[in-house]
Amino acid sequence: MSSPTTGSQHLETGAPLAPQTKIKTVMTACMLAIFLAMLDAQIIATALPRIVGDLGGLDVFAWVTTAYIITSSVTTPVYGKLGDLFGRKKVFVIAIVLFLIGSAASGAAQSMEQLIVFRVVQGLGAGGLFVSVLAIIGELFSPREGAKYFNLFGIVFAAAALAGPAIGGLLTDLLSWHWVFLINLPIGIVVLALIATSLHLPPKSRQSHIDYAGFGTLSLAIVSLTLLASWGGVKYDWISPQILGLGAAAVVLAVLFVAAERRAPEPVIPLHLFRDSTFTISVVVSLVAGVVFLGAVNFLALYVQVVTGASPTMSGVVLLPMMFGLVASSVVSGRVITQTGRYKWYPVLSMATGIGGALLFSTMDTGTPRAVVIAYMLLFGIAAGLNMQVLTMAAQNTAPRDDIGAVHATVSFSRQLGSTLGISVFAALFYNRLTEELGKRVPAGALHGVDHNALSSHEVLDRLAAPVRDAVERAYAAALTPVFLAAVPVLLVGLAVALRMRNLPLRSWDHHGGGDEAAREHPAAEH
């Protein structure tokens, strides 16, 4: 019988799980950690144009986000496996501390190069935040019981998404962009205190084997792939030795990674999980969602601030409808899934709606009314929210309990990897097209003495003559069109894959720690 303070059985033995664990306090800390991580992801979007204006480096501005996502992507599966081996609490605390150190350093950055380096440190911690929270929920509760906490997760995630752009704009306007990082510190300290005093999980007894070969080859493969996506067609020609070399390195390292995982006693990503079609589909659709829904936000902020002339604060307000759509669809879908235990059609609808949103974004130019832009963003936000919680729940539902951390880590990793690749590819498309458009639209010599990398700054734009500023705004709008068009084929792939997902009921553990065997064996699967 469950202890009232736990609300769950231990997944291995069926015994009450750590009676001293205070579920409400732990869930509060977990939700604050999610708020922390999501706030940081959204708050920087409206600050980036000001950061570029202050520090320069428009050609590398995407690396402020990309460097963060690369390191968080690489470390996500590692955190999941370390949590399986050494316990969630230790790993969670380490992740929070690293995240806070990186946040403090980023807030003190004095150059674009410093900021990118400090974002790497921040990303090293961020990789463990989402996966630790998801794994803790997965360890404390059965999939069916945990669905309500995933719903709460979605509400907090959405609340941070709603608050992020507006807070980022306000902090940037009223104080400085440095505070979009420094705001993490008080929240993180509260999370540390709550976790240290309230989370008590059973000790891990599994023999530990760190998969150094897997971690190393995976890290290098991701870096090679990201550099290829960022530099191809921009810094180097696609057929240049540098790009071809990076492509070859990524392929070789991927092959070596798979070979390492097959031999490793405790692989970073257990390959046997991919025998389950639900898990594989969840990973692929998460990758697509990361490419499109996370990769597009920074470019929407550029459109709102540069093309429509909105201030950072106002751009946060303009982005609110997109976040509201994300909130509504995430919360509603989570509640319905909790009641019905079925989830298939939400990622399908997410991909289909996203296609419509991306096509509408590609039509935006300097003459598009702001109200129309807001409507497009609302639709895109709805699409993003429909897949936010579903894929993790689906993957957990059919996965072995011993691999719960690796399951959450791999799904989160795929979304973050998609975000890394999406931002890199979109930035390459944007910057390459922007150079062409500025050359065609801006009169020769009109930007003499003006740093092209600082054109996203209102201070720089305000000093330009009206015709020149209009030409710059049109160039930005034209450069953003291929970014949104490129998202369409990616979403079509996601739609095709999501349609193959089986519609299985979420399972529940019995009183002896066993699962719902009917759900596990899939006899009631619907297609």
Side-chain angles (χ1 to χ4, degrees):
M1 185 171 177
S2 295
S3 167
T5 60
T6 65
S8 178
Q9 259 75 34
H10 186 285
L11 300 188
E12 301 291 343
T13 66
L17 177 60
Q20 68 269 39
T21 291
K22 302 173 183 177
I23 292 297
K24 291 184 179 180
T25 304
V26 169
M27 286 298 102
T28 298
C30 287
M31 295 307 116
L32 280 175
I34 293 301
F35 184 84
L36 184 76
M38 189 58 199
L39 184 68
D40 188 74
Q42 295 298 326
I43 202 173
I44 195 173
T46 47
L48 267 178
R50 181 69 61 83
I51 293 173
V52 173
D54 287 352
L55 301 181
L58 179 63
D59 57 333
V60 295
F61 92 97
W63 280 93
V64 175
T65 302
T66 301
Y68 174 84
I69 296 178
I70 285 178
T71 47
S72 61
S73 298
V74 168
T75 54
T76 291
V78 178
Y79 276 113
K81 180 54 63 179
L82 291 177
D84 287 339
L85 297 176
F86 302 116
R88 310 291 173 204
K89 181 174 180 177
K90 292 179 182 178
V91 172
F92 195 18
V93 168
I94 290 171
I96 295 169
V97 170
L98 279 174
F99 183 82
L100 294 181
I101 291 172
S103 297
S106 296
Q110 299 298 312
S111 69
M112 186 64 76
E113 292 75 17
Q114 286 183 11
L115 180 58
I116 291 172
V117 170
F118 296 149
R119 288 282 280 173
V120 168
V121 178
Q122 194 180 24
L124 289 173
L129 295 183
F130 278 114
V131 69
S132 293
V133 170
L134 293 173
I136 287 170
I137 294 174
E139 189 163 327
L140 289 174
F141 309 101
S142 71
R144 191 64 179 262
E145 185 183 7
K148 61 185 177 183
Y149 291 99
F150 280 113
N151 187 36
L152 179 61
F153 170 99
I155 293 173
V156 174
F157 186 97
L162 273 171
I167 292 175
L170 284 170
L171 290 174
T172 301
D173 279 341
L174 298 178
L175 299 172
S176 74
W177 60 262
H178 301 273
W179 283 91
V180 303
F181 303 108
L182 298 178
I183 196 175
N184 295 329
L185 301 182
I187 302 175
I189 291 171
V190 171
V191 173
L192 274 176
L194 293 178
I195 289 297
T197 57
S198 300
L199 179 60
H200 303 281
L201 296 173
K204 297 292 182 179
S205 59
R206 294 168 62 182
Q207 185 179 3
S208 61
H209 298 277
I210 305 300
D211 182 15
Y212 295 107
F215 173 66
T217 52
L218 177 63
S219 302
L220 293 174
I222 291 174
V223 172
S224 298
L225 193 59
T226 304
L227 290 174
L228 185 152
S230 301
W231 289 348
V234 178
K235 188 172 183 178
Y236 303 105
D237 291 334
W238 283 106
I239 59 173
S240 67
Q242 292 88 346
I243 297 302
L244 293 177
L246 286 170
V251 172
V252 171
L253 288 164
V255 172
L256 292 175
F257 171 71
V258 172
E261 298 307 271
R262 286 177 174 173
R263 297 191 304 267
E266 294 286 352
V268 174
I269 299 178
L271 298 182
H272 67 82
L273 294 175
F274 290 95
R275 297 171 188 163
D276 176 12
S277 63
T278 299
F279 175 81
T280 302
I281 289 170
S282 297
V283 168
V284 174
V285 178
S286 291
L287 181 73
V288 170
V291 168
V292 176
F293 297 120
L294 298 179
V297 174
N298 293 331
F299 298 92
L300 289 173
L302 272 179
Y303 175 85
V304 172
Q305 291 191 36
V306 177
V307 179
T308 72
S311 67
T313 299
M314 182 54 66
S315 69
V317 174
V318 174
L319 287 171
L320 279 178
M322 182 172 68
M323 302 308 167
F324 176 78
L326 185 151
V327 171
S329 61
S330 178
V331 171
V332 171
S333 63
R335 288 180 176 174
V336 175
I337 291 170
T338 299
Q339 294 172 357
T340 65
R342 299 185 181 276
Y343 47 78
K344 171 180 178 175
W345 294 107
Y346 298 99
V348 171
L349 186 59
S350 171
M351 299 295 108
T353 308
I355 291 170
L359 288 172
L360 291 173
F361 281 150
S362 71
T363 67
M364 298 188 306
D365 56 25
T366 56
T368 305
R370 189 170 288 175
V372 173
V373 174
I374 289 174
Y376 293 169
M377 289 184 176
L378 176 62
L379 179 66
F380 201 67
I382 291 172
L386 286 171
N387 74 76
M388 194 63 64
Q389 308 170 61
V390 179
L391 300 172
T392 300
M393 283 193 288
Q396 174 190 315
N397 190 47
T398 59
R401 300 179 202 171
D402 284 346
D403 292 317
I404 195 76
V407 167
H408 289 300
T410 305
V411 175
S412 298
F413 164 71
S414 65
R415 188 181 296 268
Q416 291 174 323
L417 177 61
S419 180
T420 302
L421 297 177
I423 291 173
S424 299
V425 172
F426 292 161
L429 289 172
F430 166 72
Y431 190 73
N432 194 46
R433 182 68 176 270
L434 180 62
T435 301
E436 296 177 5
E437 293 294 333
L438 288 173
K440 289 192 303 184
R441 297 174 183 272
V442 179
L447 294 178
H448 179 70
V450 177
D451 183 2
H452 287 203
N453 291 332
L455 285 174
S456 62
S457 168
H458 277 218
E459 289 78 5
V460 174
L461 288 173
D462 289 342
R463 292 197 296 267
L464 300 177
V468 176
R469 176 168 182 164
D470 181 69
V472 170
E473 292 172 353
R474 290 179 182 277
Y476 266 79
L480 287 167
T481 297
V483 169
F484 301 122
L485 287 176
V488 175
V490 179
L491 287 166
L492 285 170
V493 172
L495 177 61
V497 174
L499 284 168
R500 298 182 60 84
M501 179 176 282
R502 290 177 294 180
N503 205 16
L504 305 175
L506 294 177
R507 67 189 182 191
S508 300
W509 311 128
D510 63 27
H511 288 291
H512 301 288
D516 183 340
E517 298 299 328
R520 187 181 300 126
E521 295 172 7
H522 316 318
E526 298 175 6
H527 295 276

